[in-house]
Amino acid sequence: MKFTFDRDTMIREISIAQEIITTKQVGEIRSNVALYAHNNSLIIKATDSRVNFETVLPIQLQEEGETTIYCDKFMGILTSLPEGEIEFNQPLTNDNDLAITVVIKPIDKKIKFQIKSMSVDKYPDFSSADDVPYFEVPSREIKEMIEQTSFAVSDDITRLFMNGVFMEKNGDNLNLVATDGRRLSFASKPLLAGVSDFPPVIIPPKILNIILKRAPDEGNIFIAVVDKMIFFKFGNYKFGSVLLDGQFPNYNRVIPDHQERSFQVQKSDLISALKRVALMVDKKAGRIYFEVSDGILKITSPQSDMGSADEEIPCEYAGESCSLAFNYRYVDEPLKVIPTERITFEFTEELKQVTMRPEPAADYFHIIMPMHKE
């Protein structure tokens, strides 16, 4: 097996493989990246046994072959080398169980690395992503939906069904929903006209965050749901992930039909005030108070042994004064992904759901359950 490749192109692909691979144990086959050199192309595969990654890049091939090498060390070697063409050389052998030394060196430079390889025969099998029924959605649209929901999943491992983002087809709409039982994020876009029905699924956030980071803003993403797997592909990339088991909660019961009161604030004012008040918040409880009255939103941290903080910012509100208690993180995290300059909070009573949404309203929103006051 012998070929040459462009250093920067390889670094881009191996960096994605690093995101997939979770085990760092030397000698564990899942710590390796698999390389298949054929027909002047190099297929790269990585897996953690639940999330799969495959891509292909052009190479100058001298000898075909297949092998796996330790991903982190390979990346370290690549980033240490100068830009340009790199040679990868593994001697041919008939013994698949023998650890063969791979030589990695830049063309026209007196630098040489030697690294042990492992046979691809031991590499975990991938579920095929080729002959499955894909549907097509605009990349920018699905990335917006992932951004508005994936941060709200639960980290409680005893409730695995909440550890992912729920995806369903509702007519021509694609819905994404995430909740941890105390807040809920919802996004819906009419992206599925003409798409065949598929069962609702729960997608682990790891694969969604990789798609969010790696998918282009322009063009389309292809998605397929098959049995207990979901597949994504775009450009030269193919991803697959095992879906989560369980029954997702009936999220429609949480979404209010109507909320009688609302106030609006400038997002930049709210972000700045939250940042300052949060300095005095008990990080474990995370409690802050919103006291809303005519034209003013007062944000307060509870009194503690360390002290307290409060700040007033202007708001659009006319009505009876009201006090709401929140986990400040449940307000701060949606603020990071809502792109509009103004934010609307809708509510009815102090202990019932509060809807946080962009102003003007869009195809997503965030619901927060207020906390009891101390």
Side-chain angles (χ1 to χ4, degrees), residues 76-99:
I77 291 170
L78 291 172
T79 54
S80 76
L81 293 174
E83 294 180 2
E85 294 294 305
I86 309 294
E87 180 183 286
F88 185 105
N89 186 11
Q90 180 188 47
L92 293 174
T93 178
N94 293 322
D95 190 346
N96 290 334
D97 294 326
L98 186 63

Side-chain angles (χ1 to χ4, degrees), residues 142-316:
I142 192 68
K143 287 178 67 175
E144 287 178 358
M145 295 179 71
I146 294 170
E147 185 177 45
Q148 292 294 334
T149 54
S150 60
F151 66 87
V153 301
S154 172
D155 57 6
D156 183 352
I157 61 173
T158 66
R159 299 196 288 179
L160 189 62
F161 55 89
M162 286 192 193
N163 290 175
V165 176
F166 180 73
M167 182 178 81
E168 67 174 354
K169 182 178 186 291
N170 183 14
D172 289 345
N173 278 28
L174 179 67
N175 293 349
L176 294 187
V177 190
T179 183
D180 64 4
R182 297 174 296 276
R183 46 109 175 251
L184 181 144
S185 292
F186 175 90
S188 180
K189 290 180 182 286
L191 305 179
L192 301 182
V195 174
S196 300
D197 288 345
F198 57 84
V201 294
I202 306 173
I203 310 170
K206 178 176 179 178
I207 185 67
L208 292 177
N209 290 333
I210 290 171
I211 300 303
L212 181 60
K213 181 177 179 181
R214 298 295 181 175
D217 288 336
E218 303 302 325
N220 292 333
I221 292 178
F222 295 84
I223 304 173
V225 176
V226 181
D227 297 327
K228 295 185 177 182
M229 293 285 298
I230 187 166
F231 299 97
F232 299 87
K233 64 179 182 179
F234 49 89
N236 292 326
Y237 299 133
K238 298 177 183 178
F239 296 91
S241 176
V242 176
L243 295 165
L244 296 178
D245 289 327
Q247 181 67 44
F248 198 77
N250 182 357
Y251 68 87
N252 286 300
R253 295 173 58 185
V254 180
I255 300 174
D257 292 328
H258 174 70
Q259 291 172 293
E260 298 172 359
R261 296 187 279 179
S262 68
F263 62 91
Q264 291 180 23
V265 294
Q266 197 74 12
K267 184 175 74 170
S268 57
D269 290 345
L270 183 55
I271 288 174
S272 297
L274 271 180
K275 184 177 180 180
R276 284 186 282 267
V277 173
L279 293 172
M280 302 303 291
V281 168
D282 181 316
K283 301 303 180 184
K284 185 176 181 179
R287 184 180 278 102
I288 57 170
Y289 296 115
F290 276 23
E291 298 173 26
V292 60
S293 56
D294 286 352
I296 295 175
L297 172 63
K298 183 177 182 181
I299 305 171
T300 306
S301 69
Q303 184 72 39
S304 70
D305 294 340
M306 295 296 295
S308 64
D310 64 74
E311 182 168 342
E312 292 183 357
I313 61 173
C315 76
E316 290 186 22

Side-chain angles (χ1 to χ4, degrees), residues 334-350:
L335 281 176
K336 293 176 181 177
V337 297
I338 295 177
T340 56
E341 294 182 358
R342 294 188 66 77
I343 307 291
T344 292
F345 290 82
E346 299 173 340
F347 63 102
T348 300
E349 299 176 16
E350 293 183 357

Side-chain angles (χ1 to χ4, degrees), residues 89-125:
N89 186 11
Q90 180 188 47
L92 293 174
T93 178
N94 293 322
D95 190 346
N96 290 334
D97 294 326
L98 186 63
I100 303 300
T101 299
V102 171
V103 177
I104 301 168
K105 61 181 182 180
I107 304 297
D108 299 328
K109 297 285 185 181
K110 293 184 178 181
I111 306 169
K112 181 172 72 173
F113 287 93
Q114 294 178 297
I115 183 173
K116 297 291 185 181
S117 66
M118 296 176 67
S119 170
V120 292
D121 293 345
K122 301 177 182 179
Y123 208 70
D125 289 334

